[in-house]
Amino acid sequence: MQTFIDIVLFLMLAATAISIVRTKSLFAIVMLSGVFSLLSALLLVTLDAVDVAFTEAAVGAGISTVLMLGTLALTSRTEKPSSHSNFVPFVVVLITGAALIYGTLDMPNFGDPNAPAHVHVGPDYLERSVEEIDVPNVVTSILASYRGFDTLGETAVVFTAGIAVLLLISGLRRRREDEEADEVDDNEGQS
Amino acid sequence: MDFDFIIGHLNYWLFIVLMMTGLYIVIAKGNLVKKIVGLNIFQTAVFMFYISIGKVENGTAPIFPMDMNVDPSVAYSNPLPHVLILTAIVVGIATTSLGLALVVRIHEAFGTIEEDDLLKIERDMATREYELHGSAMGGRA
């Protein structure tokens, strides 16, 4: 049953991804990427990652769609057809995919309880979080307590990105007005 | 390679197909916004791959009952990949927004967000500079 749901959701994801490849309208592409994020959130729920699914639905389908629509409003709406051939990228992607699939052949089966990932620190967190942190959601207790410094580093990254975006965007209107003023000056000088 | 092996690895392969679709968009398409959408697809596929490593057969989400009486017979999925990917999603949106800000800035400076047009503009600028410096030194550049 799990495999069946996985495959149905995957087919929907693949259909969305392929229509993103083929669509030219950037508005449609942004909307399809929101659909992709929501479908991937569904798939994450079937993989037991409810917190991640929640974040993916809020951040991937919500905020990033809004940011991309803002970019479209400031730039252009359609994609120009590319002039060079698609053969070389296709071969590159095939080779990379084949290498990755070759890499998975050594991995344990999906859901195997004796996989290396489940016998190292994972069980420790599950056992000790009850006494040490006393929060029902283990993901929360790891995120905020055991790996609190990771979360601090994440906040630093988000802060840096926010400053960089502000620096890049901030002078937009001022520069545009300056250009218009220059053009007016030029026209007056010529006449 | 038997049937169990294929069923057990099918999940990984499906995610790799999605990753490669995203990578193809990044390499083959010239529009900068579309490239960022492709990067997002690649990234989401990697997240799903990573989470699927943390899945335990017949397991459930790693959330205990409210009274904290943990039943030892219940299997919980590994919470550690979930935490790492939560961090990665938030960092991912930060880098996406930085990329989109760069796209807006490029459109402001060059008037286009198509890779082909940008390359052409840059080539023209280089040619003009060569001609300028060449004539200043009294010959061909």
Side-chain angles (χ1 to χ4, degrees):
Chain A
M1 192 62 198
Q2 163 88 43
T3 318
F4 176 70
I5 296 175
D6 272 6
I7 290 175
V8 169
L9 280 175
F10 166 78
L11 286 178
M12 291 163 82
L13 280 166
T16 317
I18 288 168
S19 48
I20 288 177
V21 174
R22 305 188 64 87
T23 314
K24 294 279 175 229
S25 159
L26 286 179
F27 184 77
I29 288 171
V30 170
M31 285 301 139
L32 283 171
S33 87
V35 170
F36 188 90
S37 285
L38 280 179
L39 285 173
S40 68
L42 282 177
L43 195 49
L44 289 172
V45 172
T46 71
L47 294 172
D48 293 344
V50 281
D51 308 74
V52 183
F54 194 75
T55 316
E56 177 66 32
V59 172
I63 298 175
S64 75
T65 310
V66 170
L67 287 175
M68 285 185 192
L69 285 179
T71 314
L72 288 195
L74 290 170
T75 58
S76 68
R77 293 289 173 85
T78 49
E79 178 203 7
K80 269 198 217 163
S82 176
S83 56
H84 42 80
S85 86
N86 289 335
F87 180 70
V88 176
F90 193 71
V91 170
V92 169
V93 164
L94 275 187
I95 292 173
T96 317
L100 285 175
I101 286 177
Y102 178 69
T104 63
L105 295 184
D106 282 343
M107 286 175 65
N109 275 359
F110 174 69
D112 183 1
N114 296 318
H118 305 315
V119 294
H120 190 45
V121 291
D124 275 4
Y125 283 128
L126 279 169
E127 275 168 26
R128 288 161 62 180
S129 144
V130 177
E131 291 120 42
E132 288 180 352
I133 315 292
D134 198 31
V135 173
N137 190 340
V138 187
V139 175
T140 309
S141 71
I142 297 178
L143 184 79
S145 180
Y146 290 114
R147 290 192 159 256
F149 277 114
D150 275 13
T151 310
L152 183 68
E154 165 198 339
T155 321
V157 171
V158 173
F159 180 68
T160 317
I163 289 178
V165 169
L166 279 180
L167 286 176
L168 278 168
I169 299 288
S170 60
L172 207 60
R173 180 172 295 166
R174 197 186 59 239
R175 283 193 298 271
R176 205 173 280 169
E177 280 169 2
D178 284 354
E179 270 176 26
E180 278 165 13
D182 284 351
E183 278 171 19
V184 170
D185 286 350
D186 287 351
N187 290 343
E188 280 172 356
Q190 283 165 4
S191 63
Chain B
M1 198 183 281
D2 53 359
F3 183 69
D4 272 358
F5 182 86
I6 292 177
I7 286 294
H9 287 67
L10 191 64
N11 240 287
Y12 306 142
W13 298 338
L14 300 181
F15 293 138
I16 287 173
V17 170
L18 286 181
M19 276 180 222
M20 289 304 107
T21 317
L23 184 63
Y24 177 79
I25 296 177
V26 175
I27 301 175
K29 301 294 168 180
N31 189 289
L32 295 181
V33 173
K34 196 164 179 177
K35 273 180 194 284
I36 289 182
V37 171
L39 265 184
N40 267 337
I41 291 179
F42 196 154
Q43 176 177 289
T44 313
V46 173
F47 293 165
M48 288 187 286
F49 178 74
Y50 210 104
I51 295 288
S52 77
I53 295 173
K55 169 79 177 157
V56 176
E57 193 93 73
N58 298 323
T60 181
I63 300 175
F64 295 140
M66 275 306 282
D67 53 7
M68 302 297 278
N69 284 325
V70 184
D71 180 0
S73 65
V74 177
Y76 290 102
S77 287
N78 193 346
L80 197 56
H82 301 186
V83 176
L84 300 183
I85 295 309
L86 270 180
T87 310
I89 287 179
V90 177
V91 170
I93 188 67
T95 50
T96 303
S97 63
L98 188 59
L100 289 172
L102 280 170
V103 171
V104 169
R105 194 69 186 79
I106 287 171
H107 183 265
E108 191 199 357
F110 295 99
T112 176
I113 53 167
E114 300 287 337
E115 203 182 40
D116 291 351
D117 296 351
L118 287 171
L119 285 174
K120 189 171 172 297
I121 291 174
E122 289 223 311
R123 263 200 308 276
D124 290 351
M125 281 165 68
T127 320
R128 269 205 304 279
E129 276 200 357
Y130 283 140
E131 281 170 3
L132 193 70
H133 296 308
S135 62
M137 289 193 285
R140 292 169 298 160

